[in-house]
Amino acid sequence: MSAQLFVVATPIGHLDDMTFRAIETLKSVSIIAAEDTRTSAQLLKHFNISTPLTACHDHNESNKIDVLVQRLLKGENMALISDAGTPLISDPGFKLVRAAQEHGIRVIPVPGACAAIAALSSVGLPSDRFSFEGFLSSKASQRLLQLEKLKDETQTLIFYEAPHRILECVKNMAEVFGADRPVGFAREITKTFETIRKMTLGELVQFIESDHNQQKGEIVLVVGGATQEKDMEQEKLDQLLTRLLQDLSVKAASQLAADLTGIKKKVAYQRALELTDK
């Protein structure tokens, strides 16, 4: 009979953020698959957990999956952890979880710390809609292209960034998104030098340039969406469609609106339908 795979969140800094359930789960399983066994060994020692560790990281996960899945199928409960936070969130583990599901093995989350959610909850930007973008490209040209694709998104955007790239990354964001775009800067969450600030991208560039300590540690950027610009575009479209619908059918009005504004006809047609239903 197959066993269960537990995806266990661990602290991102403050050890008191380890949940009772996480500790009991790690003690009860037969083996723990860890991103870095040396880092995880210190965590286990702190909580007096003696369960054996095995490495499961980006460089060996593909080759290790069959062995781990076979152990699960033989009835050995297993836990998956990363160096810090929730596994799979910019950390290894996706391939193992997918393989377990494909073999009918139950995957059970043990929730806990997550830097992205911790940052989002504390910087004071809209959290009703957001997308996690992880790490941007280390190459400036590719990073700029990625940001260009995101600049008109209206939901809050969450990024992770390495300390040695943070200044260039924020400069690129200010260039593409605009220096006035709001941003939350969360560094070293739950650790001794925790820094959580909300400002504009332009102000953040100056903040990082003036204090080299802000280029150290684990960093999360929470960028406000392009709401104001999008709202203005929506308002203009609504005004145009409302006037056209006084004399034209929905189909004709949406076609003309698309021709005049350059937006897709499907978008204009859908909005025209919504306006006629009001």
Side-chain angles (χ1 to χ4, degrees), residues 12 112-127 130 132 156-161 183-190 194-198 218-223:
I12 56 178
C114 175
I117 299 302
L120 178 64
S121 70
S122 59
V123 298
L125 285 170
S127 57
F130 61 90
F132 176 68
T156 298
L157 305 171
I158 304 175
F159 302 88
Y160 286 168
E161 191 50 278
V183 58
F185 177 74
R187 185 181 69 89
E188 293 289 86
I189 299 174
T190 78
E194 177 181 83
T195 303
I196 298 176
R197 300 282 296 272
K198 180 189 174 187
E218 304 291 330
I219 300 169
V220 184
L221 295 170
V222 184
V223 182

Side-chain angles (χ1 to χ4, degrees), residues 11 27 69 71 83 119 129 133 168 192 208 220 233 258 265:
K27 286 182 176 180
V69 168
R71 295 188 68 160
D83 287 351
R129 289 182 62 244
E133 301 297 331
E168 289 305 311
T192 302
I208 295 172
V220 184
E233 292 179 2
K265 180 183 176 182

Side-chain angles (χ1 to χ4, degrees), residues 119-191:
L120 178 64
S121 70
S122 59
V123 298
L125 285 170
S127 57
D128 55 332
R129 289 182 62 244
F130 61 90
S131 63
F132 176 68
E133 301 297 331
F135 286 93
L136 292 167
S137 175
S138 60
K139 297 180 179 180
S141 59
Q142 290 298 314
R143 187 165 60 242
L144 287 167
L145 287 174
Q146 290 173 311
L147 292 172
E148 282 289 345
K149 292 179 180 179
L150 294 169
K151 71 177 182 179
D152 293 327
E153 295 294 330
T154 57
Q155 74 274 19
T156 298
L157 305 171
I158 304 175
F159 302 88
Y160 286 168
E161 191 50 278
H164 65 280
R165 289 198 303 265
I166 185 61
L167 181 57
E168 289 305 311
C169 176
V170 175
K171 285 182 176 179
N172 289 159
M173 287 182 172
E175 176 184 346
V176 177
F177 294 159
D180 292 334
R181 182 79 70 94
V183 58
F185 177 74
R187 185 181 69 89
E188 293 289 86
I189 299 174
T190 78
K191 300 175 185 176

Side-chain angles (χ1 to χ4, degrees), residues 7-259:
V7 181
V8 182
T10 57
I12 56 178
H14 202 302
L15 290 176
D16 286 351
D17 291 334
M18 187 76 164
T19 68
F20 291 116
R21 185 183 175 204
I23 294 171
E24 291 305 311
T25 298
L26 295 181
K27 286 182 176 180
S28 68
V29 296
S30 300
I31 189 169
I32 300 171
E35 180 181 4
D36 187 327
T37 55
R38 294 167 298 180
T39 300
S40 296
Q42 298 175 24
L43 178 73
L44 300 191
K45 181 179 180 181
H46 180 83
F47 291 105
N48 296 314
I49 300 170
S50 58
T51 307
L53 286 165
T54 186
C56 182
H57 47 70
D58 286 331
H59 302 295
N60 78 343
E61 188 176 3
S62 296
N63 298 326
K64 201 76 174 282
I65 286 176
D66 289 341
V67 174
L68 296 178
V69 168
Q70 286 305 311
R71 295 188 68 160
L72 286 161
L73 291 172
K74 290 178 181 178
E76 295 184 51
N77 283 335
M78 183 180 302
L80 171 67
I81 62 175
S82 61
D83 287 351
T86 302
L88 280 72
I89 310 301
S90 282
D91 284 329
F94 164 70
K95 295 177 182 177
L96 176 59
V97 169
R98 181 176 59 184
Q101 291 176 333
E102 290 173 349
H103 284 82
I105 297 165
R106 186 182 177 193
V107 179
I108 302 174
V110 181
C114 175
I117 299 302
L120 178 64
S121 70
S122 59
V123 298
L125 285 170
S127 57
D128 55 332
R129 289 182 62 244
F130 61 90
S131 63
F132 176 68
E133 301 297 331
F135 286 93
L136 292 167
S137 175
S138 60
K139 297 180 179 180
S141 59
Q142 290 298 314
R143 187 165 60 242
L144 287 167
L145 287 174
Q146 290 173 311
L147 292 172
E148 282 289 345
K149 292 179 180 179
L150 294 169
K151 71 177 182 179
D152 293 327
E153 295 294 330
T154 57
Q155 74 274 19
T156 298
L157 305 171
I158 304 175
F159 302 88
Y160 286 168
E161 191 50 278
H164 65 280
R165 289 198 303 265
I166 185 61
L167 181 57
E168 289 305 311
C169 176
V170 175
K171 285 182 176 179
N172 289 159
M173 287 182 172
E175 176 184 346
V176 177
F177 294 159
D180 292 334
R181 182 79 70 94
V183 58
F185 177 74
R187 185 181 69 89
E188 293 289 86
I189 299 174
T190 78
K191 300 175 185 176
T192 302
F193 298 104
E194 177 181 83
T195 303
I196 298 176
R197 300 282 296 272
K198 180 189 174 187
M199 57 191 86
T200 66
L201 284 168
E203 291 169 338
L204 182 55
V205 170
Q206 296 177 3
F207 177 63
I208 295 172
E209 285 180 328
S210 64
D211 183 356
H212 191 264
N213 287 321
Q214 304 308 322
Q215 299 181 49
K216 298 177 181 179
E218 304 291 330
I219 300 169
V220 184
L221 295 170
V222 184
V223 182
T227 52
Q228 185 175 2
E229 183 177 333
K230 281 292 184 180
D231 286 346
M232 292 177 61
E233 292 179 2
Q234 183 70 62
E235 185 177 349
K236 291 179 181 178
L237 175 62
D238 287 356
Q239 290 175 350
L240 177 60
L241 284 171
T242 299
R243 177 62 188 89
L244 292 175
L245 287 167
Q246 293 177 6
D247 302 311
L248 301 172
S249 66
V250 169
K251 182 178 181 181
S254 58
Q255 178 64 69
L256 183 54
D259 291 342

